[in-house]
Amino acid sequence: EPRSAWCCLAWTLVVVTMNSLVFFINLLLMFVIFTVVLLPTIVVVYFGFQCHSRVLHSAARYCKSILDDNSSSALIILGFVIMSPLIVVAMAIYCSLARRLHLFMCFQPYSRAVYKGVKWRWYEEGGLCSCAKGCNTQVKAWV
């Protein structure tokens, strides 16, 4: 049965807050994974740009003794070349981890706020600790 107007508004705020929290947890997890996986690319491109004479031309000792313009250009090119496969690896790690943690199951439908008696989606799936009972590997996030 439908909720009253004030109750619907309160439950809407609860559902929106929970979905926002789950969204920001997903965003934080994605940011951490991409930062860790893309760290080699970040470092290589940073040193390439730092030591190139037409970009920053740092006065650091390693820029003067080890890296000239040609080697700095090579570092920049290498960094951008290895970025593509590392982005694929980072996305695969994130998707695998999100699927194992059932992060997409935590998003709640708006009907939870509108109608009484609608159960939380994670409750219907066996609770937050459903993996302790044996994970169902056939559960899809978009169902």
Side-chain angles (χ1 to χ4, degrees):
E1 77 185 71
R3 296 182 190 272
S4 66
W6 289 106
C7 190
C8 181
L9 180 64
W11 276 102
T12 300
L13 289 175
V14 169
V15 169
V16 166
T17 303
M18 183 175 174
N19 285 344
S20 298
L21 183 65
V22 170
F23 172 75
F24 285 117
I25 289 172
N26 275 306
L27 197 64
L28 179 68
L29 182 67
M30 186 182 295
F31 177 75
V32 167
I33 290 173
F34 272 76
T35 302
V36 169
V37 172
L38 292 176
L39 192 61
T41 298
I42 294 168
V43 169
V44 167
V45 170
Y46 171 75
F47 281 118
F49 278 125
Q50 185 181 18
C51 295
H52 200 280
S53 66
R54 291 190 181 180
V55 183
L56 293 177
H57 195 60
S58 175
R61 190 182 86 230
Y62 56 85
C63 287
K64 293 179 180 178
S65 62
I66 299 173
L67 297 174
D68 60 351
D69 280 350
N70 291 333
S71 58
S72 296
S73 298
L75 282 179
I76 295 168
I77 292 169
L78 175 68
F80 284 113
V81 166
I82 65 173
M83 185 185 302
S84 296
L86 289 180
I87 287 175
V88 172
V89 168
M91 197 64 200
I93 291 171
Y94 167 73
C95 290
S96 173
L97 192 59
R99 185 173 180 201
R100 283 186 189 268
L101 296 176
H102 299 281
L103 291 179
F104 299 119
M105 295 292 195
C106 295
F107 287 107
Q108 296 301 315
Y110 178 68
S111 62
R112 175 75 176 104
V114 176
Y115 299 107
K116 292 180 183 177
V118 179
K119 291 187 165 100
W120 294 100
R121 185 176 291 163
W122 53 263
Y123 179 77
E124 294 171 354
E125 297 293 331
L128 288 175
C129 299
S130 61
C131 283
K133 301 171 190 165
C135 281
N136 182 4
T137 58
Q138 299 302 317
V139 175
K140 303 284 189 240
W142 53 85
V143 175

